[in-house]
Amino acid sequence: MDREKIETLSRGGIYLAKLNPAKKSEVGKVRPVAILTSQTILNVNPLIVFICPLSSQSHPEFQRLHLELPARDSLRVTSYGLVEHCRSISTDRLTLPRIAQLTTTEIDMILHRLQIMLE
């Protein structure tokens, strides 16, 4: 990603990201991701951001961790935040423009599920 474009990244912003190559059961391919990195850090144009990948499918065994996100803006289908797949990625993997935006409540719900997973 062009360093000048990084300034447009926003916490809770949903962007397309190239997650390949994936290893074993990691999610891969080009898919939407929600940025969880704090806005304070995003404001200094980091090279790495912490994201939650989204999918149009949720598996029952992970229901407690997945957050259902209704379609909006250019996120055209109901999606699920795959909290068990949260990770850091290079900003070079992101594609602009932002396709949608999470609400503050949705960000908090993902962070709460991440805390459940880590305890």
Side-chain angles (χ1 to χ4, degrees):
M1 170 181 286
D2 187 333
R3 296 287 294 152
E4 294 161 10
K5 294 180 183 177
I6 293 173
E7 292 178 35
T8 63
L9 296 180
S10 63
R11 184 171 201 214
I14 299 173
Y15 301 85
L16 291 179
K18 301 172 204 107
L19 298 181
N20 283 333
K23 302 279 184 172
K24 300 203 179 199
S25 60
E26 292 175 343
V27 293
K29 68 182 182 178
V30 175
R31 71 173 58 245
V33 300
I35 294 181
L36 301 177
T37 301
S38 77
Q39 192 61 51
T40 302
I41 293 173
L42 292 173
N43 290 343
V44 297
N45 300 331
L47 297 175
I48 303 282
V49 290
F50 192 71
I51 56 98
C52 180
L54 306 184
S55 176
S56 61
Q57 298 178 8
S58 176
H59 297 287
E61 62 269 21
F62 292 105
Q63 184 176 12
R64 187 167 179 224
L65 293 177
H66 291 177
L67 176 65
E68 184 174 332
L69 301 167
R72 66 191 84 169
D73 304 321
S74 294
L75 183 65
R76 300 186 191 272
V77 298
T78 297
S79 299
Y80 299 88
L82 305 179
V83 174
E84 74 280 14
H85 288 280
C86 285
R87 63 179 171 152
S88 294
I89 64 169
S90 168
T91 55
D92 288 338
R93 291 181 176 268
L94 298 172
T95 302
L96 295 177
R98 181 179 67 195
I99 61 172
Q101 179 70 40
L102 296 179
T103 66
T104 302
T105 301
E106 290 168 333
I107 295 168
D108 290 344
M109 292 172 78
I110 288 174
L111 295 176
H112 178 72
R113 285 165 169 77
L114 188 58
Q115 186 176 9
I116 289 170
M117 190 178 98
L118 296 175
E119 287 185 339

